[in-house]
Amino acid sequence: MNVQTGKLQHGEARHPDVSTQDIIARDKKKAPEWVASESYEYLGSEDIDTTRYTSAKYMQEEFKRLWTRTWQFACREEHIPEVGDYYVYDIGPYSFIVTRVAKGEIRAYFNACLHRGTKLRASGTEGAATEFKCSFHGWSWNIDGTNKSMLCPWDFPHADPKEYSLPEARVQTLGGFVWINMDPDAPTLEEYLGPKALEHIRAWKLEDRYITCHVTKPIPSNWKLNIEAFMEAYHVPDTHPQVSPTNADVNSQYDTYGEHVNRFISTLGVVSPEHAGKYTEQDVLDMFTVGDSSIVTDKPQVPQGATARQMMADMFRGMFEQATNTDLSNVSDSEILDCFSYTIFPNTFLFPGISLPMVYRFRPNPKNHRESLYEVLFLRPKPKDGSYVETAEPVHLTAEQSFCEAEGMDPGFGGILDQDTDNLFLQQEGVEASAKPGLTLGDYQEIRIRHFEKAVDKYMAMEPKIPNWKALQRK
């Protein structure tokens, strides 16, 4: 059972209902170690200064100190499967051409001509290329980044083509994701994540999945408010009342791993402690919402003495296997059902579960500190027979559109995302209007926000790190 609330040290209190680990321990198909573990650390109770959400200057400093030093998910490997394939990734004022230059090699070039700065590929584009040529004056580069040609080279005796290769960000791959970092002195991705989080990510084998849905939408809030809206289940009872009866929301588990990774586990198929005694096991089964309900057919009756959670695990295992042509016989009940949310600082969420197989990415709008881009991607397991699967193209929503309008988005889950993001406009305006200069966080349920902002503070305390094009050229 959880620790009873009362006169305890800061960070020790938990909801007095059954714990996340107790719920998971009852499952028939037992959970792996990465699920059946805890890693909480109390990080203080001080308010979080709201200037970081309301100041345009603060965001501009983030671009110089934080984004230039951190590892970021740029694209999936399936976006660039063949040599010459490329994908443009933008973060703030920076833009990169992520391209495959050999079967086992991916590079990320700063997306700007070294003549007069024109982008070599437009933002939001992808495709295949044999060269990267500037549309303005025709300077061009080979896909390995070396200079291919200069128009009228006789007029540039001071520009040696051998010294005009495209500057590069560092690139590493993990879990089928392509990660980039602008800092040549930064730790490796493995060091950045830390051993425990790295062990978890490798266990998921996300390289064996593919994108079935990709939706983007601009959100009227600072990127940090946007990302923090999804870091806790404390909001579920009031923001998502239709979900709360089948979700152990306020009794979710929260963990931190090193400086850059945190998570929560929210068990599903059980009644929220806030609704104890109000719903039957049959009610839970009938009301349950998954991230992708396209595979759900008729919901059966819960026999006397059985639980909705176990029936869901058994039912969804078979349904997902049939719908996706995959073998889930060795996957635990918890992985089938529960919501696992991992934040990879600064802007990526990984959800390795089967019913909620998602990735979130959040990016600031460099022209407006009160707006950010929110992306949702669904990753299904690749078919076990190795048959070809199509990588979904992104669907771009406007700020006024509902997530339910996106092709491929389950309407029930789209409605949940609308509820989350509808709060953000009010929060952004409220933070700016408030006489109180700080946000007050719960010691346990909002630890991921505190952990995240602690990392923000770390990078913002550093000197600016402005990319040096000469230092970033391949020698």
Side-chain angles (χ1 to χ4, degrees), residues 51-52 55-62 224 456-457 460:
T51 303
R52 68 192 65 214
S55 166
K57 181 179 178 181
Y58 192 94
M59 186 181 72
Q60 294 307 316
E61 291 302 315
E62 289 174 340
K224 296 183 294 301
V456 170
D457 288 342
M460 291 298 284

Side-chain angles (χ1 to χ4, degrees), residues 208 210 324-326 380-389:
D208 296 332
Y210 70 102
T324 62
N325 190 22
T326 53
R380 275 186 177 175
K382 293 178 182 177
K384 59 186 176 183
D385 60 9
S387 56
Y388 174 76
V389 288

Side-chain angles (χ1 to χ4, degrees), residues 49-221:
D49 177 22
T50 56
T51 303
R52 68 192 65 214
Y53 309 112
T54 62
S55 166
K57 181 179 178 181
Y58 192 94
M59 186 181 72
Q60 294 307 316
E61 291 302 315
E62 289 174 340
F63 291 137
K64 301 173 185 177
R65 303 165 191 263
L66 187 156
W67 294 104
T68 54
R69 288 184 165 99
T70 51
W71 285 98
Q72 301 155 47
F73 149 51
C75 66
R76 290 277 297 173
E77 288 200 61
E78 64 257 35
H79 283 126
I80 49 172
E82 305 296 333
V83 173
D85 289 348
Y86 70 89
Y87 186 100
V88 176
Y89 170 70
D90 289 352
I91 183 65
Y94 303 105
S95 183
F96 300 90
I97 300 172
V98 183
T99 186
R100 189 176 294 277
V101 299
K103 184 176 180 181
E105 185 178 5
I106 297 171
R107 298 184 187 178
Y109 305 122
F110 281 73
N111 184 17
C113 177
L114 297 181
H115 171 219
R116 282 169 58 183
T118 306
K119 276 188 175 179
L120 298 173
R121 287 292 185 272
S123 295
T125 62
E126 57 185 297
T130 56
E131 66 175 357
F132 298 113
K133 186 176 182 179
C134 178
S135 60
F136 197 177
H137 298 93
W139 286 36
S140 67
W141 283 263
N142 299 302
I143 63 168
D144 68 359
T146 56
N147 184 265
K148 183 178 181 179
S149 67
M150 298 177 177
L151 182 65
C152 299
W154 54 266
D155 206 18
F156 294 88
H158 49 289
D160 184 349
K162 294 180 181 178
E163 297 179 358
Y164 270 67
S165 60
L166 293 173
E168 303 175 34
R170 293 170 63 187
V171 174
Q172 286 194 241
T173 58
L174 178 66
F177 297 89
V178 180
W179 306 82
I180 69 167
N181 192 315
M182 293 179 240
D183 183 1
D185 302 316
T188 64
L189 179 60
E190 292 81 4
E191 293 167 333
Y192 183 87
L193 297 172
K196 185 57 68 174
L198 185 63
E199 179 184 319
H200 290 196
I201 294 170
R202 285 177 170 161
W204 307 332
K205 299 190 181 303
L206 297 181
E207 62 272 19
D208 296 332
R209 302 196 190 185
Y210 70 102
I211 300 171
T212 62
C213 179
H214 183 179
V215 182
T216 79
K217 183 177 177 178
I219 304 297
S221 74

Side-chain angles (χ1 to χ4, degrees), residues 167-373:
E168 303 175 34
R170 293 170 63 187
V171 174
Q172 286 194 241
T173 58
L174 178 66
F177 297 89
V178 180
W179 306 82
I180 69 167
N181 192 315
M182 293 179 240
D183 183 1
D185 302 316
T188 64
L189 179 60
E190 292 81 4
E191 293 167 333
Y192 183 87
L193 297 172
K196 185 57 68 174
L198 185 63
E199 179 184 319
H200 290 196
I201 294 170
R202 285 177 170 161
W204 307 332
K205 299 190 181 303
L206 297 181
E207 62 272 19
D208 296 332
R209 302 196 190 185
Y210 70 102
I211 300 171
T212 62
C213 179
H214 183 179
V215 182
T216 79
K217 183 177 177 178
I219 304 297
S221 74
N222 183 270
W223 73 278
K224 296 183 294 301
L225 287 182
N226 195 349
I227 199 170
E228 289 166 12
F230 298 91
M231 284 186 171
E232 38 80 10
Y234 179 49
H235 70 277
V236 171
D238 282 279
T239 299
H240 309 302
Q242 80 278 26
V243 172
S244 187
T246 64
N247 183 324
D249 40 46
V250 297
N251 211 24
S252 297
Q253 177 180 312
Y254 298 86
D255 301 296
T256 60
Y257 302 95
E259 293 183 312
H260 301 117
V261 183
N262 58 55
R263 77 166 178 184
F264 76 54
I265 304 175
S266 194
T267 48
L268 307 183
V270 293
V271 178
S272 165
E274 295 297 293
H275 298 287
K278 299 179 184 178
Y279 298 96
T280 66
E281 292 293 325
Q282 188 63 49
D283 292 334
V284 173
L285 183 63
D286 292 341
M287 298 171 69
F288 187 65
T289 301
V290 296
D292 178 6
S293 64
S294 61
I295 54 84
V296 179
T297 54
D298 296 331
K299 294 179 181 178
Q301 295 296 306
V302 181
Q304 187 70 28
T307 66
R309 178 177 170 84
Q310 192 60 59
M311 287 196 68
M312 289 177 192
D314 296 339
M315 179 174 64
F316 289 168
R317 187 187 310 277
M319 288 181 176
F320 277 112
E321 284 184 331
Q322 184 175 1
T324 62
N325 190 22
T326 53
D327 179 10
L328 302 176
S329 58
N330 293 321
V331 178
S332 70
D333 295 339
S334 182
E335 292 169 274
I336 294 289
L337 285 179
D338 295 332
C339 179
F340 301 92
S341 170
Y342 284 71
T343 302
I344 312 298
F345 186 85
N347 67 331
T348 299
F349 279 21
L350 302 181
F351 296 77
I354 300 299
S355 68
L356 286 165
M358 302 181 297
V359 178
Y360 291 170
R361 181 166 60 184
F362 304 82
R363 289 185 275 177
N365 179 346
K367 299 177 182 179
N368 182 358
H369 68 284
R370 302 172 85 242
E371 183 177 278
S372 48
L373 184 69

